[in-house]
Amino acid sequence: MSFQPNPGDMIRINGKMYSVGQHPAAPGLAYAQAGRQGIVYQLIPAEGGPHEAKALKVFFPKFRIPAMVYQSETMEIYSGSPGLQVCSRDVLTPERNGEIIAEHPDLLYAVLMPWVHGFTWFDIIADQRQLKRTESLSLAKALSGIASGMEQRGLAHCDLSAPNVMLPFFSEVDLPDKSSAVELVDVEQMYSPKMDRPDVLLAGSPGYAAHRTVQSGLWSAYADRFAGAIILAEMLGWCDPQVVGKAWGESYFDQHEMQNPCERYFVLKKSLEHNWGTKVAELFGRAWESQDVSSCPTFGEWLVILSSINEEQLLQDEIEIAAVPNIQVEEPIIPTQAASEAAAGSVPERQGSGAVLVESNRTGQDSGVVNRLFLQAREMEEKGNLNGALEVYRSAHHFVPSGSPLQVELEAAIKGIEELLNPKQEDEPGKLPFYRSRKWIATAIAVLILVGGSGFTVNRILADRAENRQKEAAATEALAKQQEEVRLAELKKQEDEKLVKAAEAEQKLKQDEEIKLAQQKLEKQKLQEQYDKQAKYEAYLAQQMQNQEKKNAEKQKLQQMYDKQAKYEAYQKQLKIQQAKEEAARKEAAAKAKTLQKKRSNQVVQLIASYNQAYNAQKGGNTAKAREYAKSFVNLYEQDAAYFKTVGKTSTRANGIYKFLANAGYQLPNV
């Protein structure tokens, strides 16, 4: 079955238990990161801390290469180098991990290696997270140091890009003290004089591959120089908000811009020169304008220039600007007229009083910090960055004594920028007050006439009412006719406008539809090109696999012949050894037989001598001496009686001796 673990699932590899980690941003899902060659899962050891977590890289089928075993064994010697801890790799093979591979076939030739905590450089770019200058310098120095060490050993990553650069520098997990600030991952394409060239070379990552080599791929000791220069420039430029804001997306540069004159290149180079000096900008320019990767600056050159930058001074500058809650600011002496003008809030007045502030704050290190903040805000304000200037003014406002003229100056500046950013809305024109309307005025006049006039006036008004009504009716009819004409004209105008808008909308819709169809056609064409390219690539892989199978079959056939020859030679060798042993045994047996024969001959002589001595002693009348010689005969005879019986007359002598010893009166025969 395919390998699709859930968080908390237990898995045993090489006798050690691990649990699958949970994704911090997606509870309920396994912590997995997909790459171009496979998927990496986080494994947490059942016994051990978070810094001992492992990464299990499960390759896609076309990247499951048996030679990965030899490659990983070769890379093991580089795992102790800074930034290359993932070279400590353990490949799952059928011989050692057959049980788990039988359960999950996807784990064939998967790689177990250390899990690197922290963000990737890709995360920093995609989130547009601006860095401090000290952070930029630390990351760039760490990366250049790692790459310089690799160059000195003839190594190259060969796919250096933002997703493959990990930053334990920002890790929230407590790591060992000697941990590197930067780590490189996805080292399957790594170049080494001791390793074989991969069957398939990656063409580099967009935004980091030189356009002159992006189609062919690289596998040499110089492969990292151009991509490394781009990443180092990004790291050093990421402390500049203008550079961060210009980023293309997943990388600072769009791939179509690589090694071509473009706005992003000039912005980044200018930022490097302004923040880090001319030498750093020149190194970046050399890499950008290079004709091949070997003519790019070495990482040793980058490391020398970056190491010469005073990091302590950068840190001191950041501390002075950002964290000054305990600074006591001396209250500057500002004339009363300047203070009153500052309270008015106009920009020219703030400029005039700002000169007083600069002059009065030149004494004392603490006041110099507030002065720097004020000048920085003024510079931002002159450049049109009102939001930034407002924030800096507010920061400086927190550090001045309450009620001081300096506080009045800063409050005036803040108020002035706030008014520019948020202008007051004017009152919208509406209806006139009721007391100014024509109806109210006419009613008031009528009341005044009725109340203040005489009876004659009232009667005159009543008499003229009929005539006035007739005139008013005529006027009202004319007004109504005029209003109707105006209304009809307005309706016609609105209808015409609707027709024009409808035509414009229809035209725009038609244009949008044409653009959409063109985009779909272009996307379809690109997709078809990708399909064609993928088909060619898969056909190439199939051909490579077929060739590899043929080679394997030939190797297997040749290996069988070698095995048979080896067995025959081993048999011949064993036969010679056996024959030599048998010959030695024969010689040893012959020697022993000869020695035994000699010994027996001597013993026969001794037996005859003992018998003769016993016979002579008996004849001489010395029976005791004869018995002593007879006993010597018996002792020697019984040591090898079966042999002595067959030799001459020894058995006859033995019979006489035994009879003599049994009967002292028995006379030994003369044999």
Side-chain angles (χ1 to χ4, degrees):
M1 58 182 294
S2 61
F3 187 68
Q4 296 179 350
N6 295 315
D9 288 353
M10 302 302 294
I11 182 173
R12 179 183 292 275
I13 300 178
N14 296 333
K16 192 170 183 179
M17 292 298 297
Y18 299 92
S19 64
V20 179
Q22 178 174 261
H23 200 291
L29 296 179
Y31 198 169
Q33 296 177 349
R36 287 193 287 182
Q37 299 187 38
I39 301 176
V40 181
Y41 296 92
Q42 184 189 55
L43 299 183
I44 302 174
E47 298 179 359
H51 66 280
E52 296 178 339
K54 296 289 185 180
L56 180 64
K57 187 165 187 176
V58 182
F59 292 95
F60 298 133
K62 63 182 179 182
F63 294 108
R64 294 172 192 163
I65 304 173
M68 189 76 67
V69 179
Y70 170 75
Q71 183 192 46
S72 297
E73 292 174 353
T74 306
M75 285 197 294
E76 181 71 27
I77 60 176
Y78 307 129
S79 60
S81 302
L84 294 177
Q85 63 168 306
V86 296
C87 287
S88 177
R89 302 155 66 85
D90 195 357
V91 182
L92 275 62
T93 61
E95 292 79 8
R96 292 190 303 161
N97 312 96
E99 183 177 351
I100 190 172
I101 293 176
E103 183 179 358
H104 302 286
D106 288 348
L107 296 184
L108 179 63
Y109 301 122
V111 174
L112 187 70
M113 53 192 168
W115 177 271
V116 181
H117 294 275
F119 305 109
T120 63
W121 181 241
F122 173 87
D123 297 328
I124 300 296
I125 293 179
D127 295 343
Q128 291 194 329
R129 172 180 173 180
Q130 184 179 340
L131 303 179
K132 299 178 181 178
R133 293 189 69 194
T134 51
E135 293 174 340
S136 291
L137 182 60
S138 297
L139 294 179
K141 286 174 64 176
L143 179 58
S144 60
I146 292 168
S148 177
M150 292 176 65
E151 273 193 332
Q152 294 169 19
R153 304 183 70 172
L155 305 178
H157 186 278
C158 296
D159 190 19
L160 210 56
S161 59
N164 294 339
V165 177
M166 297 292 299
L167 307 177
F169 183 81
F170 296 111
S171 173
E172 298 179 357
V173 176
D174 292 334
L175 301 176
D177 295 336
K178 296 183 179 180
S179 298
S180 176
V182 174
E183 290 284 346
L184 303 182
V185 296
D186 283 352
V187 294
E188 285 77 24
Q189 295 285 317
M190 189 169 75
Y191 171 83
S192 169
K194 300 180 180 180
M195 292 192 291
D196 297 332
R197 180 186 178 94
D199 294 335
V200 180
L201 291 179
L202 300 178
S205 298
Y208 299 98
H211 69 73
R212 301 183 179 95
T213 58
V214 70
Q215 299 298 329
S216 59
L218 284 176
W219 198 72
S220 70
Y222 312 114
D224 292 345
R225 288 188 178 179
F226 182 82
I230 299 300
I231 296 179
L232 288 172
E234 287 179 344
M235 288 179 171
L236 294 172
W238 228 245
C239 63
D240 189 340
Q242 186 177 5
V243 174
V244 176
K246 285 286 184 181
W248 175 74
E250 299 177 353
S251 59
Y252 177 73
F253 289 106
D254 183 0
Q255 180 58 41
H256 301 294
E257 298 174 337
M258 303 309 292
Q259 293 190 279
N260 292 319
C262 61
E263 181 184 4
R264 290 191 179 93
Y265 167 70
F266 293 113
V267 169
L268 180 55
K269 187 175 181 182
K270 182 178 180 181
S271 174
L272 294 177
E273 184 175 2
H274 178 265
N275 290 310
W276 307 105
T278 306
K279 294 182 179 179
V280 174
E282 289 177 352
L283 291 180
F284 176 58
R286 279 175 53 194
W288 188 266
E289 298 170 1
S290 62
Q291 296 300 316
D292 53 67
V293 290
S294 62
S295 59
C296 293
T298 65
F299 289 103
E301 295 179 70
W302 282 99
L303 183 59
V304 169
I305 299 301
L306 296 178
S307 299
S308 65
I309 299 175
N310 191 343
E311 192 170 358
E312 294 182 358
Q313 183 61 40
L314 295 180
L315 181 61
Q316 183 64 29
D317 292 343
E318 289 181 358
I319 293 175
E320 290 181 354
I321 293 176
V324 286
N326 296 324
I327 291 180
Q328 298 295 329
V329 183
E330 295 182 4
E331 183 174 333
I333 302 174
I334 301 179
T336 304
Q337 182 180 359
S340 60
E341 291 175 353
S346 63
V347 174
E349 292 167 348
R350 289 202 308 275
Q351 291 176 350
S353 58
V356 180
L357 176 65
V358 173
E359 184 64 28
S360 60
N361 278 330
R362 288 180 180 173
T363 60
Q365 181 179 1
D366 295 344
S367 58
V369 175
V370 179
N371 183 30
R372 189 182 304 141
L373 290 174
F374 188 87
L375 294 177
Q376 181 181 359
R378 290 294 307 281
E379 182 179 357
M380 297 173 72
E381 185 178 354
E382 291 173 358
K383 291 181 178 180
N385 186 2
L386 298 181
N387 288 318
L390 179 62
E391 292 299 324
V392 177
Y393 277 134
R394 286 173 176 171
S395 299
H397 182 267
H398 291 295
F399 308 132
V400 297
S402 178
S404 64
L406 180 57
Q407 184 186 32
V408 175
E409 169 71 14
L410 290 174
E411 288 178 352
I414 292 170
K415 182 178 179 182
I417 294 180
E418 287 178 345
E419 290 177 352
L420 292 175
L421 292 175
N422 303 305
K424 294 183 178 180
Q425 299 293 333
E426 297 181 359
D427 294 336
E428 297 182 358
K431 295 181 180 180
L432 293 174
F434 74 97
Y435 54 84
R436 295 178 60 186
S437 64
R438 293 181 179 178
K439 184 177 180 180
W440 189 89
I441 293 174
T443 304
I445 293 174
V447 170
L448 289 175
I449 292 174
L450 290 175
V451 173
S454 61
F456 175 78
T457 305
V458 173
N459 292 331
R460 182 64 179 269
I461 291 174
L462 292 175
D464 295 337
R465 180 171 297 177
E467 183 180 357
N468 291 337
R469 283 180 180 177
Q470 185 177 2
K471 292 180 179 180
E472 287 177 1
T476 302
E477 183 179 356
L479 181 61
K481 185 177 180 181
Q482 184 180 1
Q483 290 177 348
E484 182 65 18
E485 292 176 354
V486 172
R487 186 180 69 82
L488 291 175
E490 185 67 25
L491 287 175
K492 185 178 180 182
K493 182 180 179 181
Q494 292 177 359
E495 289 295 330
D496 293 341
E497 290 178 353
K498 287 181 180 180
L499 291 174
V500 172
K501 289 182 179 179
E504 292 176 353
E506 184 178 359
Q507 182 67 21
K508 187 175 183 302
L509 184 62
K510 186 176 180 180
Q511 292 177 354
D512 293 342
E513 188 68 23
E514 292 176 353
I515 294 174
K516 186 177 181 181
L517 290 175
Q519 291 177 347
Q520 290 177 352
K521 184 177 179 181
L522 182 60
E523 291 176 358
K524 186 177 180 180
Q525 183 179 356
K526 290 183 179 179
L527 190 61
Q528 186 62 41
E529 291 176 355
Q530 292 179 358
Y531 287 155
D532 295 341
K533 188 175 181 181
Q534 181 67 22
K536 291 180 181 179
Y537 179 67
E538 291 178 354
Y540 169 77
L541 288 180
Q543 184 65 33
Q544 290 293 107
M545 187 174 296
Q546 187 177 0
N547 295 338
Q548 187 65 32
E549 290 176 354
K550 290 181 180 179
K551 291 181 181 178
N552 292 338
E554 293 175 358
K555 287 183 180 178
Q556 186 176 4
K557 185 177 179 180
L558 190 60
Q559 186 63 41
Q560 290 176 355
M561 295 175 60
Y562 288 156
D563 293 341
K564 289 181 180 179
Q565 182 66 25
K567 289 180 180 179
Y568 178 74
E569 292 177 355
Y571 169 74
Q572 291 292 333
K573 184 176 180 181
Q574 187 65 28
L575 184 60
K576 289 181 180 180
I577 294 174
Q578 185 66 25
Q579 291 175 349
K581 287 183 179 180
E582 292 176 355
E583 183 66 24
R586 283 196 298 269
K587 290 181 179 180
E588 184 178 359
K592 287 183 179 180
K594 187 177 180 180
T595 302
L596 181 61
Q597 184 62 35
K598 184 177 180 181
K599 179 180 178 183
R600 284 174 172 174
S601 299
N602 292 333
Q603 288 176 340
V604 169
V605 173
Q606 291 179 9
L607 288 173
I608 295 173
S610 297
Y611 183 83
N612 292 337
Q613 289 174 346
Y615 175 79
N616 292 331
Q618 186 183 34
K619 290 297 182 180
N622 192 349
T623 304
K625 196 70 173 177
R627 288 182 65 84
E628 183 178 348
Y629 287 128
K631 289 180 180 180
S632 297
F633 180 91
V634 170
N635 290 335
L636 182 57
Y637 180 81
E638 289 181 350
Q639 290 179 5
D640 197 1
Y643 171 74
F644 292 141
K645 286 180 182 181
T646 63
V647 179
K649 296 180 180 181
T650 305
S651 60
T652 304
R653 292 184 180 92
N655 289 334
I657 290 296
Y658 281 122
K659 290 178 180 180
F660 171 71
L661 291 175
N663 183 7
Y666 176 77
Q667 292 297 319
L668 294 171
N670 184 9
V671 181

